[in-house]
Amino acid sequence: MKRPAAIDWDGHKKVNLALQGGGAHGAFTWGVLDRILEDGRLDIEAMTGTSAGAMNAVVMCEGYLEGDREGARKKLADFWKSVSSESALSPIQRQAFDTLFKGWNLQQTPAYWWLDMLTHYASPYEFNPLNINPLRDHLSRMVDFEKVRACDAIKLFIAATNVHTGKISVFERQHLTADHVMASACLPFLFQAVEIDGVPHWDGGYMGNPALFPLFYKSACPDIVIVQVNPISRETTPRTARDIQDRINEISFNGALMGELRSIDFVNRLVDEGKLSRERYMRPIMHRIAGGRELMDFGASSKMDTSWPFLTQLRDIGRAAATQWLDANYDKIGVESTLDTRLAFA
């Protein structure tokens, strides 16, 4: 496949977005999207998302259909505000000491301890036999999936993990319902598997966080911008049981992405060496927007903190990261990768 022009008839550059999941840290992605939409120089051809990334993607699609870029920005803000409002009565809240010193650690809350212990000794089929899930109810109220399915301006792909086969399932925009998004966000220790056409699914992060390959086959745009929430590397060795488990989860939820980056690097080298034809194979141009040290410093428990001050702080970090990335790399979009894929997985 020939590489298409990177600039459309409006003079805007085209990109695909790949949105990671990460609980409340998805508000970082909200900030990134908000800044990209506000900037106005990038047209989004396709999005692939997992878990919180999937929620951001469907909300943005609905808002885009209702009011173009500004409609998408408003819908994202309304969605995250409602997430905060819904969780205001949650027993898992920061302690006074953490609030006083602006920490975002929930590990010291009794409710968090209780939930952590419960999920180690009981399954969601045991402690929630009626499968009550307020998050699904909230998503159904906030997102009009008929509008999402009608938003043909942006291709959309949502990833989940097939429990029976262990393989990835990718759902496209024209088929999406609240169940598909909840399947993508279904952590098996907290929620019962979500059935899609009779097949149980768990969180898509196990097999694609986010899945990049749909963009190779279903989008003509070579530029892929990964919005990364989960850090790949850390400089310290975890020593407590909780920290060890959190690091294992980070590694697991980045595993599929690392594998895809390795494959991209391999194919790109074959194209560059002339072993694969540029006429037949698209050479992906890779980019990444990440939260860096600021996002890395938040503990894994903060992914359950949906207080409005925390969400807006994450949004602001995302906006700043997107601004920095646009300023440094806009001219390279459509020309060269700004993410060293080999360094990313080496």
Side-chain angles (χ1 to χ4, degrees):
M1 178 186 299
K2 292 183 179 180
R3 195 182 83 184
I7 302 177
D8 66 14
W9 63 274
D10 282 326
H12 298 162
K13 291 193 173 186
K14 296 181 180 180
V15 296
N16 299 314
L17 297 180
L19 312 180
Q20 273 199 332
H25 290 190
F28 167 82
T29 303
W30 162 33
V32 171
L33 296 175
D34 185 70
R35 183 67 187 95
I36 288 175
L37 290 165
E38 179 185 56
D39 180 83
R41 291 178 292 170
L42 295 180
D43 283 339
I44 300 167
E45 180 161 324
M47 290 190 291
T48 176
T50 297
S51 194
M55 294 185 188
N56 275 314
V58 297
V59 169
M60 180 174 157
C61 276
E62 180 189 349
Y64 196 89
L65 183 67
E66 292 177 347
D68 205 67
R69 297 175 192 272
E70 288 305 311
R73 293 182 67 200
K74 182 180 185 305
K75 190 67 181 181
L76 283 164
D78 290 346
F79 175 78
W80 283 99
K81 181 63 175 179
S82 70
V83 167
S84 176
S85 300
E86 287 282 332
S87 64
L89 299 179
S90 169
I92 303 179
Q93 303 286 345
R94 286 184 299 147
Q95 298 297 286
F97 182 85
D98 287 323
T99 303
L100 181 64
F101 291 97
K102 298 185 178 180
W104 302 106
N105 186 4
L106 294 178
Q107 290 187 8
Q108 306 306 316
T109 64
Y112 186 84
W113 292 345
W114 177 83
L115 179 63
D116 186 54
M117 182 181 68
L118 179 64
T119 56
H120 277 79
Y121 293 98
S123 82
Y125 295 88
E126 296 167 326
F127 65 72
N128 186 13
L130 298 180
N131 199 23
I132 298 171
N133 191 336
L135 180 59
R136 188 196 185 286
D137 296 337
H138 176 256
L139 185 69
S140 297
R141 286 197 306 272
M142 287 301 301
V143 179
D144 185 338
F145 280 89
E146 286 190 13
K147 291 182 178 178
V148 173
R149 292 189 293 270
C151 181
D152 57 4
I154 301 174
K155 300 180 178 71
L156 181 57
F157 309 96
I158 302 302
T161 301
N162 185 314
V163 177
H164 289 167
T165 66
K167 297 179 180 180
I168 191 170
S169 296
V170 176
F171 309 114
E172 298 190 34
R173 188 206 70 251
Q174 59 267 31
H175 306 299
L176 290 181
T177 66
D179 282 338
H180 293 92
V181 178
M182 292 309 303
S184 181
C186 180
L187 291 171
F189 298 109
L190 292 176
F191 306 111
Q192 295 184 21
V194 178
E195 292 197 357
I196 304 296
D197 297 328
V199 179
H201 286 82
W202 283 339
D203 196 294
Y206 294 108
M207 297 306 296
N209 192 25
L212 302 182
F213 69 88
L215 302 175
F216 307 152
Y217 301 108
K218 299 295 182 71
S219 171
C221 175
D223 285 84
I224 299 174
V225 182
I226 301 170
V227 182
Q228 189 162 356
V229 173
N230 298 300
I232 290 179
S233 62
R234 287 193 179 272
E235 298 172 356
T236 59
T237 302
R239 299 190 181 277
T240 69
R242 182 71 264 172
D243 288 344
I244 290 170
Q245 185 60 56
D246 290 342
R247 184 57 183 149
I248 289 172
N249 288 338
E250 283 181 346
I251 293 170
S252 299
F253 276 74
N254 277 324
L257 175 62
M258 298 284 279
E260 287 201 90
L261 290 177
R262 185 176 290 108
S263 298
I264 289 170
D265 179 73
F266 177 68
V267 171
N268 282 353
R269 281 190 287 119
L270 292 180
V271 170
D272 292 342
E273 293 168 2
K275 296 177 180 178
L276 292 178
S277 169
R278 289 181 181 268
E279 298 298 316
R280 296 187 58 190
Y281 293 90
M282 179 186 292
R283 189 188 190 285
I285 301 174
M286 301 301 300
H287 314 277
R288 176 171 62 191
I289 301 175
R293 173 62 63 184
E294 286 187 281
L295 202 58
M296 190 183 300
D297 285 344
F298 297 130
S301 66
S302 67
K303 292 182 178 181
M304 299 184 69
D305 186 349
T306 54
S307 63
W308 186 240
F310 184 50
L311 296 182
T312 53
Q313 181 176 349
L314 289 168
R315 176 204 61 196
D316 292 345
I317 295 172
R319 281 181 54 85
T323 297
Q324 182 180 19
W325 182 82
L326 284 165
D327 290 345
N329 300 303
Y330 180 79
D331 290 340
K332 298 177 182 178
I333 297 171
V335 178
E336 61 179 296
S337 293
T338 60
L339 171 65
D340 186 332
T341 52
R342 190 172 307 180
L343 182 62
F345 65 76

